[in-house]
């Protein structure tokens, strides 16, 4: 309920550990939601470190109505790919007697859901813009969640394609646009098609990667579950 301007990073971390005493890892980022129009919503969402297996640890977001606990199965209120986040949401505009079918048809709930998506996209874009090196360091831990979002939500894709990163076998990160510019001179074929090369395992495919580099080509590393999609 407090204003974000009155809080420090430590306050958010302390609150996270109060919510999840068994979770010893620090979250990577957080987003403080504070809306009073066209609906009321306060809350804090945290980006946990996502293990490589799609660790869809659901029931990690708790929903309250005026500080009365409603549910921790927030499907319908929070888009599916954001179910990987942790945190609390409080809104007097979500009635206490929530049934799933009610939630899916309620216009307030739809507005809240799209607002949360927008805020998450904006916050990631802001972190990327203000501190790219920090964002790159955390990219491998959050990319699963961002790629899942891009595949399942067109609006989120439009925002995310500006800050989504791809990594080459040398461990350098690029936005889609930067990478396209980098490889255009060497990797455009005779039909003017851009050719992207990727490996899924640096050690297993070492000799192929070296052969490609020997010809002056760059090779992407796509070793995450959703990278190739």
């Amino acid at each position: 309920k407090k204003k974000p301007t009155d809080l420090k990073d430590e306050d958010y971390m302390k609150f996270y550990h109060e919510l999840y005493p068994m979770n010893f890892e620090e979250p990577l980022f957080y987003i403080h939601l504070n809306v009073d129009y066209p609906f009321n919503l306060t809350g804090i969402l945290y980006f946990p470190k996502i293990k490589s297996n799609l660790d869809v640890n659901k029931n990690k977001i708790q929903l309250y109505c005026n500080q009365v606990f409603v549910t921790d199965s927030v499907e319908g209120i929070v888009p599916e790919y954001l179910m990987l986040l942790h945190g609390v949401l409080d809104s007097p505009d979500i009635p206490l007697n929530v049934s799933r079918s009610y939630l899916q048809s309620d216009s307030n709930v739809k507005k809240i859901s799209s607002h949360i998506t927008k805020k998450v996209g904006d916050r990631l874009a802001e972190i990327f813009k203000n501190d790219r090196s920090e964002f790159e360091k955390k990219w491998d831990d959050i990319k699963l969640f961002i790629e899942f979002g891009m595949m399942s939500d067109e609006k989120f894709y439009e925002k995310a394609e500006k800050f989504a990163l791809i990594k080459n076998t040398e461990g350098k990160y690029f936005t889609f646009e930067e990478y396209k510019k980098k490889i255009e001179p060497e990797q455009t074929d005779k039909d003017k098609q851009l050719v992207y090369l990727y490996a899924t395992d640096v050690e297993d495919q070492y000799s192929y990667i070296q052969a490609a580099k020997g010809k002056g080509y760059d090779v992407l590393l796509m070793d995450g579950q959703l990278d190739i999609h």
Side-chain angles (χ1 to χ4, degrees):
K1 294 283 183 189
K2 293 181 180 175
K3 286 197 182 78
T5 45
D6 300 340
L7 296 164
K8 296 188 178 75
D9 277 353
E10 302 87 85
D11 299 318
Y12 288 103
M13 296 306 152
K14 196 170 152 235
F15 185 52
Y16 181 77
H17 291 301
E18 275 173 31
L19 292 171
Y20 309 106
M22 298 314 289
N23 202 335
F24 302 113
E25 286 196 341
E26 296 287 310
L28 300 165
F29 305 121
Y30 55 82
I31 293 167
H32 195 147
L33 302 161
N34 209 330
V35 193
D36 49 19
Y37 181 82
F39 47 79
N40 274 298
L41 173 71
T42 52
I44 299 172
L45 293 175
Y46 293 93
F47 291 67
K49 223 177 203 177
I50 297 170
K51 302 290 175 287
S52 56
N53 55 344
L54 228 157
D55 181 20
V56 186
N57 221 336
K58 291 194 175 171
N59 305 343
K60 288 289 192 178
I61 297 179
Q62 302 162 11
L63 179 68
Y64 292 78
C65 174
N66 286 325
Q67 301 190 5
V68 176
F69 179 69
V70 180
T71 179
D72 59 8
S73 52
V74 291
E75 284 97 334
I77 300 169
V78 175
E80 191 192 359
Y81 67 95
L82 293 182
M83 301 290 273
L84 300 172
L85 299 183
H86 298 170
V88 283
L89 297 171
D90 188 321
S91 175
D93 293 324
I94 294 172
L96 286 168
N97 55 346
V98 258
S99 70
R100 191 152 301 170
S101 57
Y102 175 86
L103 284 175
Q104 280 161 353
S105 60
D106 184 68
S107 67
N108 254 343
V109 170
K110 284 200 177 85
K111 280 183 207 147
I112 288 174
S113 173
S114 59
H115 178 80
I116 291 171
T117 299
K118 180 181 179 305
K119 284 309 239 190
V120 168
D122 289 349
R123 174 77 173 124
L124 288 166
E126 176 196 353
I127 295 167
F128 174 71
K129 197 167 131 236
N130 296 340
D131 193 348
R132 176 157 174 175
S133 63
E134 193 54 30
F135 189 82
E136 286 184 1
K137 263 188 237 150
K138 293 176 177 173
W139 174 255
D140 290 349
D141 291 318
I142 57 166
K143 71 174 179 180
L144 194 64
F145 145 81
I146 292 174
E147 289 168 352
F148 184 26
M150 290 173 83
M151 285 160 59
S152 51
D153 182 330
E154 213 168 304
K155 280 205 173 90
F156 185 75
Y157 183 95
E158 285 163 17
K159 272 187 196 300
E161 70 174 332
K162 295 180 187 64
F163 59 71
L165 298 174
I166 39 186
K167 178 165 74 167
N168 69 7
T169 49
E170 287 163 19
K172 292 200 177 96
Y173 293 91
F174 305 87
T175 63
F176 295 170
E177 198 49 45
E178 289 165 354
Y179 194 70
K180 189 177 159 202
K181 284 198 181 110
K182 174 183 168 62
I183 65 170
E184 243 163 355
E186 298 294 335
Q187 291 174 225
T188 302
D189 69 8
K190 59 184 190 310
D191 304 320
K192 300 274 180 279
Q193 293 290 324
L194 202 54
V195 180
Y196 288 80
L197 301 175
Y198 72 85
T200 52
D201 187 312
V202 177
E203 286 172 18
D204 282 3
Q205 296 161 336
Y206 180 79
S207 55
Y208 297 109
I209 295 167
Q210 291 314 109
K213 284 183 179 169
K215 292 191 164 68
Y217 302 145
D218 192 79
V219 183
L220 286 169
L221 176 62
M222 297 204 156
D223 57 353
Q225 286 114 309
L226 300 180
D227 285 357
I228 294 165
H229 302 293

